[in-house]
Amino acid sequence: MELPERPHPLLNRRGFLSHSATALSGMAFAQLLGRDGLLAAGVSPKSPLRPVIDAANPNAVRQPHFTPKAKQVLMIFCAGACSQLDTFDYKPELIKRHGQPMPGGDKLVTFQGAQGALNRSPWEFCPRGQCGKMVSDLVPRLGALSDDICYVHSLTGKTNTHGPGENFMNTGFTLDGFPSIGAWTTYALGSANDNLPAYVAIPDPRGAPQSSGNCWNPGFLPAAFQGTDFNAAKPLRNLARPEGISPERDRATREFIARINRHQMQQYPGDTELAARISSYELAARMQMSVPEVCDLSTEPEHVMRLYGADARGDRTQEIKAGYARNCILARRLIEQGVRFVQLFNGAYQVGGEGTSNWDGHKILKDQYTVHGEVLDQPTAALLFDLKQRGLLADTLVVWCTEFGRMPTFQAGASGRDHNPAGFTGWFAGAGVKAPYTYGATDDFGYKAVEKVTTVYDFHATILHLLGLDHERLTFYHNGIERRLTDVHGEVIEEILV
């Protein structure tokens, strides 16, 4: 006998209503548990915290997630992969075994090919500051400030190629098209200065880095959060009033345009693209006064110019040093004016041959780094010293970094070091970090990070944390994904925090 098929309980009205009531009560109960922090006991919810952006004023000040240690960031990026072994990472065993094969490295092939013997740095290391930190003679002035620096010697990267490496350190991704860390910062916090960009990138006097605008682009974030790039030698273009237009006529024209814009906004109050465009034009108008003023270094006293080395004269190296020194002064002036994120570049994309315009010392490291050390050391040290003496380090986090490190061996047939993302150095100074302090370590030769291994994601998470931002919750919804600066990785380096 064939039994009649029973209908599904949800296909009749009584069953549907019964199950719906159960589902709704379950949803309500889950919401109450989540509110009281009892859902998934011991696990704190990490729901996204997307800032609310006013299109008419995208850089308005926004509150951080929690009380910050730092309000501004100055990020100094050395393009070309500055060698940790010739600057800040002292390795006595490398000196002892100079000229010998690296243990376990007989078949090692890196970016440009086979490796030769272990090679000590051409520069001596000496104790610096009251803490006695061993730092190379290549950067003696920076070394002298080691009492104010928190070194991270165990950084690791994901690529040994310059372009992707620059992307990774500046955006958290090796591919193009992702927002820079400065864009994430201004997206989250806005800016306290209405007359200057919230985010400024200062290219080296020799040009932009290999990844160029990727290092300060907004990616998929709103365009308002792109870094504005200019330096002391090349201020923002097209800000000057055209010849033949008087100040009075210029002012009257701007006021007339402002009245039209206000009328348009009243007619179309929900048009965020119109509001954003008006906001950008109004900021540009205000920058006609503020940018020339902040870029006018003629107001700096002579002793300040000497301190930074901006008065350097002589050969090409001294000219570049003076140009970079003026960029350092510009960076300090922008920090003084409340610019939220300042990115200062040392080194540019290859111009004139490998290693001549940045830290990519493959062939003749001694000759190439002698130039780069001279350009970097005095101006950068003066910048850090000047920020401290003016009290600006209380609220400013200074970050020094590069895309990856270099090998403890010289390349076969050359007198330089190949690329090495397995272990390199970055450092912090200023707001919220311990100093003097050393965190993590590479092995005896400076090849691989072995103690407290740190990723670029951790490095970025720590920067955001010091700004009062939870890197796991600061997101932007893009193409169906809650995107983060740190992707799905990263841990705050708690040990280095004050």
Side-chain angles (χ1 to χ4, degrees):
M1 178 178 176
E2 190 173 326
L3 296 174
E5 186 177 349
R6 297 182 64 185
H8 193 280
L10 292 183
L11 294 181
N12 64 74
R13 184 175 61 181
R14 181 175 296 177
F16 175 80
L17 292 175
S18 173
H19 284 83
S20 296
T22 303
L24 289 171
S25 62
M27 291 167 62
F29 185 57
Q31 184 180 20
L32 291 172
L33 288 175
R35 182 196 65 186
D36 296 334
L38 299 175
L39 191 63
V43 180
S44 59
K46 288 290 184 181
S47 57
L49 284 175
R50 302 189 210 111
V52 178
I53 308 299
D54 178 3
N57 189 10
N59 286 318
V61 174
R62 290 178 283 279
Q63 293 303 308
H65 302 160
F66 47 85
T67 303
K69 296 288 187 179
K71 296 178 181 177
Q72 298 168 267
V73 175
L74 169 61
M75 186 173 183
I76 304 165
F77 182 81
C78 281
C82 179
S83 168
Q84 75 281 8
L85 296 165
D86 300 289
T87 49
F88 306 114
D89 198 3
Y90 175 58
K91 293 297 173 185
E93 192 68 16
L94 181 61
I95 298 172
K96 180 180 175 182
R97 299 209 194 184
H98 174 75
Q100 299 178 19
M102 185 170 73
D106 53 321
K107 295 182 180 179
L108 183 65
V109 176
T110 56
F111 182 72
Q112 286 199 351
Q115 296 302 296
L118 292 167
N119 263 268
R120 61 173 292 172
S121 175
W123 294 273
E124 296 294 329
F125 279 71
C126 303
R128 312 284 179 178
Q130 294 297 314
C131 65
K133 177 71 176 179
M134 297 293 284
V135 177
S136 157
D137 283 343
L138 180 64
V139 285
R141 291 180 175 88
L142 278 170
L145 300 177
S146 289
D147 293 339
D148 298 313
I149 293 175
C150 176
Y151 292 97
V152 179
H153 287 309
S154 52
L155 277 172
T156 57
K158 290 179 66 174
T159 176
N160 66 355
T161 306
H162 290 294
E166 290 180 354
N167 283 351
F168 190 41
M169 182 56 79
N170 287 287
T171 74
F173 291 82
T174 57
L175 300 176
D176 293 353
F178 288 86
S180 61
I181 185 172
W184 278 109
T185 300
T186 51
Y187 161 68
L189 299 174
S191 177
N193 190 310
D194 293 331
N195 298 321
L196 287 169
Y199 173 21
V200 174
I202 307 176
D204 186 270
R206 291 160 286 191
Q210 182 166 331
S211 283
S212 189
N214 285 325
C215 296
W216 56 83
N217 274 353
F220 43 72
L221 295 179
F225 304 115
Q226 175 169 318
T228 303
D229 61 307
F230 61 92
N231 62 20
K234 297 179 180 178
L236 276 178
R237 297 167 294 280
N238 305 318
L239 282 181
R241 188 175 63 254
E243 292 183 14
I245 297 180
S246 68
E248 294 76 15
R249 183 181 174 188
D250 186 40
R251 184 166 52 252
T253 301
R254 290 204 304 269
E255 290 172 355
F256 175 67
I257 292 172
R259 287 199 300 273
I260 295 175
N261 287 339
R262 285 194 295 270
H263 178 69
Q264 287 287 95
M265 286 303 299
Q266 289 170 359
Q267 281 190 302
Y268 307 102
D271 191 338
T272 58
E273 290 189 11
L274 174 62
R277 182 167 296 185
I278 291 172
S279 174
S280 68
Y281 284 141
E282 289 177 344
L283 174 59
R286 294 193 298 273
M287 288 196 302
Q288 284 186 301
M289 296 294 293
S290 59
V291 169
E293 182 178 332
V294 80
C295 290
D296 182 10
L297 305 190
S298 67
T299 59
E300 292 289 329
E302 189 175 328
H303 72 272
V304 171
M305 303 297 280
R306 285 198 305 272
L307 173 69
Y308 282 79
D311 61 341
R313 300 288 184 273
D315 60 14
R316 174 65 174 157
T317 298
Q318 293 303 311
E319 291 176 3
I320 296 170
K321 175 182 175 180
Y324 174 68
R326 287 190 286 272
N327 284 351
C328 288
I329 297 172
L330 174 61
R332 187 215 77 213
R333 290 166 71 98
L334 291 167
I335 291 293
E336 284 180 309
Q337 294 298 316
V339 172
R340 180 74 70 183
F341 202 102
V342 178
Q343 211 169 7
L344 176 64
F345 290 89
N346 176 263
Y349 189 42
Q350 302 288 12
V351 176
E354 188 176 73
T356 59
S357 57
N358 64 28
W359 293 88
D360 196 22
H362 286 280
K363 303 303 181 187
I364 312 172
L365 184 135
K366 179 70 165 65
D367 293 348
Q368 294 166 337
Y369 270 36
T370 296
V371 172
H372 302 322
E374 176 69 17
V375 171
L376 173 73
D377 186 41
Q378 180 183 351
T380 309
L383 173 57
L384 188 58
F385 172 81
D386 207 7
L387 290 170
K388 181 180 180 181
Q389 74 171 357
R390 293 168 188 260
L392 295 168
L393 285 186
D395 292 323
T396 304
L397 174 67
V398 179
V399 182
W400 181 91
C401 55
T402 190
E403 62 258 46
F404 40 74
R406 304 201 83 87
M407 292 293 296
T409 54
F410 273 8
Q411 295 175 222
S415 300
R417 305 187 191 276
D418 208 349
H419 304 172
N420 176 25
F424 59 106
T425 294
W427 53 257
F428 298 106
V433 294
K434 296 175 182 175
Y437 203 76
T438 295
Y439 179 87
T442 50
D443 60 30
D444 288 344
F445 307 112
Y447 172 38
K448 288 186 176 180
V450 293
E451 293 180 19
K452 300 174 182 175
V453 178
T454 306
T455 66
V456 171
Y457 301 116
D458 302 332
F459 203 63
H460 288 166
T462 304
I463 295 170
L464 292 184
H465 179 85
L466 288 164
L467 288 164
L469 300 171
D470 185 336
H471 75 101
E472 294 181 285
R473 303 189 71 185
L474 176 62
T475 69
F476 186 87
Y477 191 72
H478 176 68
N479 280 352
I481 301 173
E482 290 287 354
R483 287 292 189 184
R484 291 169 22 191
L485 169 65
T486 53
D487 197 12
V488 295
H489 313 283
E491 298 287 340
V492 175
I493 312 171
E494 299 280 355
E495 184 181 322
I496 71 171
L497 306 180
V498 172

